[in-house]
Amino acid sequence: MLSFLLALVFLAAPEVGVSTPEALLGEILPGLASTDSAQIDGAWRALERACFEAGRPGAENERKALSLAIAAKLGADVPESARVIFLRALEIVGKGEAVPALAKLIAPGNPSSIREGARRALDTNPHVNAKKALRHALGQAEGSLRVGVIHSLGVRRDFLATGDLIGIAEDSDLAAKLAAVEALAEIGDVSAVPVVEEALSNLKGPELAVAQRAYLRLADSLVRNDERGQARRIYDKAARISPAHKAAALIGFARAGLQSEIERIASALDDPDPQVGGAAVEAASRITGDGMTKALLVRLERDPSVKLLRILARRRGPGARAALLNAARNTQAANLRLEALRLFGDFSSDRDGRDAIDLLLSALGEGGEVDRVVETTLSRMRGPVTVTIAEQLGKASGDRKLALIRVLGARREVEGLQALESAASDASLPVRTAALQAIGQVGQASSVALLLGILVKAGDAERGAAIGALARLCGDESSTAIVAAFARAEGADRAVLLRVIALRRDPGSVDRLKKAAGEPSSLVRLAAIEGLGFSNDLSALPILLEVIEKGTEAEQSLALRGALRFGDQIARDDRSKALAIYLKALDISEDPKDLSMALRGIAETSGPENLKRILPHLKKGPLQREAGRAALRLAQRLPEDQQAGAKEVYELVLALDPDHTTASQCVRRLRRLGVDVDLARKRGFVTRWWILAPFPNPQGSLWEKALPPESGVDLTKPVESEGEKYEWKMYHTPSPRGVIDLADAGYSSEFAGAYLYAEISVKSACDALFKMGSDDQIACWLNGVKVHAYRASRGLEVDKDTVEVKLTEGVNRILLKILNDTLDWGACLRITDRAGKPLDFAQKES
Amino acid sequence: MSRRVTRRRFLFRSAHALGTGMALPAVLRSGSIASAAGPSANDRVGIGFIGTGGRGSDHLSVYAQSRKFPAVAVCDVEAANRQRAAKSVGPECGQHNDYREVLERKDVDAVVISTPDHWHAMMAIHACEAGKDVFCEKPLSLTIVQARAMANAARRYERVFQTGSQQRSSGEFRRACELVRSGRIGKIREVMVNVWGTSKPCTLPAEDPPAGMDWDRWIGPAPWRPFNKQLHPYHWRNYRDFSGGSMTDWGAHHLDIVQWGLGMDDSGPVEILPPEGTGPQYVTYRYANGVVVKCGETAVQGVRFVGDYGKINVNRGYFQAAPEEVATEPLGPADVNLYRSPGHHEDWQQCIRTRGRPITDVEIGARSVTVCHLGNIAIWLNRKLQWDPFKEQMVGDPEAARWLDRPTRAPYHL
C-alpha cells in the first residue's frame, strides 16, 4: 500500500497534494463537478493519472483500492457530471469489486447517462460478474440501452446469455432483434444457427444485410469454438447469397482450414466475378495442408497459368518447388517459364533446392530476357547459392562466365571470393575486369594483396577496375596495406596508389596528397593534384592555386578542375578569389566541363565588366545555354546608359532557345525596353490576363466563397471585399510556357486567392480543349459557366488538367480562380483544338 | 575468412544478407496475382464520399469531374458541407446524411471516407460488407482492435482498400526506404521521428450546434457529449474519444515510413517506453531486431534513419543522405526495389481495375496505426509496454490491454 500512496503523492502533488485514494477523489471531486472546463480538465487528468498508475502490473491492491474508492463516489449525492467521469475511470481500472456498484447504476431509476456509463464500464470489466450484471440488466433495460447491453454481451461472448438472446431475436423491437442476432453470431453457440437462419428468411433490405453479415460472423465464431462442421454448412449456404458472400465464404473455408472445400476454392479461381476470383486466390494461398497444393498442381498440369504458379510460390513447400521446376524445364510458353525462373528468387536454396540452382544455371546463357531474369534470381535467391555459383565459375566461359561473376558480385558474399580471385587471373580481359569489380563489391580486406599486385602490373582497363575495387575494400587493414604499398612504390605505381588513397578518403589521406604534390615524379604530382581537387578539404585550395600559376600544362589543367570545385565553397566569403579562378579557367581551359563551371561561377560573382569575356561562348556548342544564362545575368547588371547593349544581349540569348527561366527573364527585360515578345502565344497559351488579387484565403476558406467576379466581371470597376478595395491589373506573362507566376507578378502568396480574367476571340464557334495547370487550387469559368474545378494542394504543371469546352463565335470570357496555401502560386491555360493543336485566337490586349 | 562488417563494406553492399526475406512482401504484392480479373479500363466506377469537410473536399475535387471514376454521392452530417460538395459535382449527385444510404446505392462502387477518426472503422467495415472498395483517410482507426477488424473485413470481402497515408506514393520516401532496406547505411540502429502530441479527455462546455448539423450522428459510436465549436470542424483531434492527436494524425505518415523502411509492414515493435524527464519528450519503440525508434520532439525533419555507417533523413520534399555516396550508386538486382505507386489516388484507381493491393493496403495501414496507438498508450499509462506483434497482444499488462479497444455508444456496434 505504501508504494501506492507514494505514487499518488508523486503523481497528484502538483495539483492536489493528497495521499490516499479517498482523499484524492475528495480533492478532485469539486473539479469534476465544476462547470469550468479548465477545472474539469485538471481534475479528470489527475483521476486518470491515478488510474493509469494504479493499473500497472503488480499493483493489484492499489488498483482495487482505487476502484473501490471510485465506486463509493457513485452515489446520488455526487453530481451526475462527476459520476459520468468516475464511470469512465472504472472503464480503465474496474474489476469484480466495482461490479455491485455498476449493477445498481445500470438499473432503472438512474439517469440515462449514468446507466449508459455503467454499461460501458461493465463492457470492459473483465470479471465474470460483469457478464452476470449485464445479463441481469437485459431484462430491465429498454431502448438504445437495451441494444447496448445486448451488444456488450456479444462483445463479452457470454454463452450464458444465449438463451435470453435467442428470445430477443424473436422480439418485435427490430433494433433489439438485430442486435441479438449479431450478439449471437459473436458468441457462436450452435443453438443460434436456426435463429440467425430464420432472421435471414424474414428480414429485408438493410436489416437483411445485417443478418447476412451476422451469418458469416456466426460461422467464424463456430470455427473458433471448434464447430467446423456447422461453420462449413453456413459458409456453404452463404456462398449462394451473392458473389460477395461467395468471396467471403471462400476466405472462411480457408481460415477454417476446411480441406473438404479445396476443390471448390480451386474451381473458384476461374470464376468470372473478380471479387470471387480474387478471394479464391487469397483462399488458395492461405489454406493450410498439402491438399491445396496437390489440387493446384493438377490444374497446372491441365491448364498452366502464371496465376497458378504465383499461388504455388506463395504456398511454398516441396510441391510448389517441383511445380516451378517443371514449368521452368518443360513448358513451351515463354511467359510461364520466365515467371517460374523469376519465382525461384522467392525461395531459399536449401539442401532440396540444388535442382533449382542447377536449372537456373543451365538456363543462363540462353540470352535475352531469360539471362536477365536468371541473373536477377540468382542474385537475390537466399541460401547457399554462392558456393554453387563459385564452383561453376571455373567451368564457365564467355558471357556465361561474365554473368556468374556479376551474380557473385551482387551477392557480396565472402564464399564467392576465392572463385572471383581466380577469375581475376583469367586469360580474358573482360573476365579479369569484371572479376576485379566483383571483388570490390564483396569488399573483403583479404583481397588487398591480390588487388595491389594487379595494380602494379596490369593494363589500363584492369588497373581502373583494381583501383575501384581497392577503394571499396573494408577495414583498417586494407587502408594500412595500401598506405604501406604506397610508401614502397615508385613512379607510376606510386601515382596509381595515390589515386586509391584519394578515393578511399581515409583519415590522413589529404595530408598524404599534399605531401605528394611536391614529389619529383610528375605522375605522382598529377595524381596528388587530382586527389586534392576531389578532397572537399579547403586546405587543399592554396596548393591548387599555386599549381595553376606555376605548374605544367597538365598540372594546371587538373588543379584548375579541382579549384573550380572549390569555387562555390569560397564564393560567398571571398567573391574576388572565386571570380579569379573562374576567369582563369576561361583563359586557360578548353574543356567544356571546366568552362561550364566557370561560366556558372562568373554569373554568380562578376559585374558586367566581364560580359565581353562571355559573349564569345554564345556561339553554337555545348556551352551555349550556360553562356546565355551568364550573359543575361551580367547584362542585367549594366547601368541605365548601356541598356542598348543589354537589349542586344537579351535578343541574342533569346535566339539561342534558352531554358524557361532564362527565356522568361529575357522577355521581361525586352518588354521593359519596349520590345514586345510573346513566345507562349505560338503554343496556344493565353498570355494576357487581368488579375484581381490578393484576397485573404484563411484555411482555404475562399474556395467556398463566391466573390463578385464569379457573377460578372467589369474591368473598369474596383471590387470590394471585407472592407478592402481591389482593382483589376493587366499582366502579360513573359513565360514561354504561358505561366502566370502570381508571386513573380507581385502578389503575396501565403493563403491567398486571385481572380484571373481574359477575353479571347475566335472567328467561328468551335469545340476546343482548355489545358490548365495551377498551384494550388483552380476553378475555371467560360462565358459565366463553371467548366472546371480542382481543389487540392499541388505544384504547377503545364497541361495538367484538360477540359472539353465549346467556344462561341467572337468574344469568349475566361475567368480563373486561383487559391494558394503556401509558397509559390500561379496558373496557365492553353487552348487547343480537340486534337491538341494550338487554336488560332486573338486576345484582348487592353 | 573474416566476415567482419565495416563501414565501406556497408556503403557499397546490398541488403542481400540483411533482409531479402523481409523485402519480399513489399516487392511482390499478392493481389496482383488476380490481375487479369478486374473490370476493364473503360468501366465506370462510381465513388461515394463520406465526410466532405476539409480533407473530404480535397478528395472530392479529384473526382468531381472525373468520367471514369465519377463522384455519384456525397454524405455529411452537416447539411452545408454536403450541399457544397454536391454542388461542386453537379445536380445528379446524391446527398445523404446517413452513410448507410450511400452504401446501399447500386451506383456506388467505392467510397472515400474522410470523417473524424472515431467513425473510420464502422464505416469502412460496413463498406467492405456492402461490396464497396475503400479509400480511408489516415489514421486508419481509433483503436488497435478496430484496425485489425478493418483489415479482416477487407480481406474477407476481397476489397481494394487504400489507407490515406500518401507519403508511400512520394518518390523521396520510397527512395529513402529502398536505400535503408538495401543496407546502404548499414545495419539500422536508430530512427528518429519528429511527431509529438497526444489527445486528452474532452471537457468542453455545451454550445448550440450550427443549423443543419446532425450532432448525434457526428458523435456516432463515441461517448456522448454536446456540441462545441472546438470539436467541429477542426480540433476534434485534440480529444481522445475522437482521435489519438498528432501521434496518430502525423504518426500515420511518419511512423508508417518507419515501418516501411524497416521492412516491418507485417510486424511492429516489441517494447514501447514512455517519455522520460523534462527535456525533449519522445516515445521509444524497440523492435525485435534491436532497432530503436524515437518518436517525439526530436530535432529532425520528418524521419531520420541512422545506420552503422550513415544517415538518411527524409521528409516531404526533402531528402538528405550522409555520406552522399550511399544515395548515388544505383540499386542493383539484389537490392530492395519497392513498388512504385503512380500517385495515391491513381494507385487506388488502378488497383480497383486490376484487383491488386494498393501501396498502403489496409493491412499496412493497420500495422502503422497500431504503432501510433501503442505510443499513445505508453504516454497515457506512463509505463513501459511489452507488445507481441505476431499475436497483436499486450504482454503481461492486462490493464494496458484494455486500451486495445473501447466500448461503443449504444446502440452503435462494430
Side-chain angles (χ1 to χ4, degrees), chain A residues 48 94 213 220 704 791, chain B residues 61 84 129 156 240 402:
Chain A
E48 270 203 345
R213 179 177 70 198
D220 295 345
E704 309 292 355
R791 187 185 184 183
Chain B
S61 70
R84 268 195 300 265
E129 289 170 350
R156 150 142 280 170
R240 194 183 295 153
R402 286 194 184 194

Side-chain angles (χ1 to χ4, degrees), chain A residues 643-665:
Chain A
Q643 287 304 300
K647 173 174 165 284
E648 281 181 34
V649 173
Y650 301 143
E651 286 174 335
L652 193 58
V653 172
L654 205 52
L656 300 176
D657 186 25
D659 60 83
H660 177 260
T661 307
T662 307
S664 297
Q665 288 181 11

Side-chain angles (χ1 to χ4, degrees), chain A residues 326-338:
Chain A
N326 188 43
R329 277 184 189 134
N330 302 324
T331 184
Q332 298 300 310
N335 65 327
L336 270 184
R337 181 158 181 264
L338 271 179

Side-chain angles (χ1 to χ4, degrees), chain A residues 681-702:
Chain A
R681 283 286 290 119
K682 282 187 284 188
R683 298 175 60 199
F685 284 100
V686 179
T687 57
R688 289 177 184 271
W689 295 88
W690 276 264
I691 301 175
L692 194 68
F695 295 95
N697 177 32
Q699 305 294 321
S701 57
L702 199 54

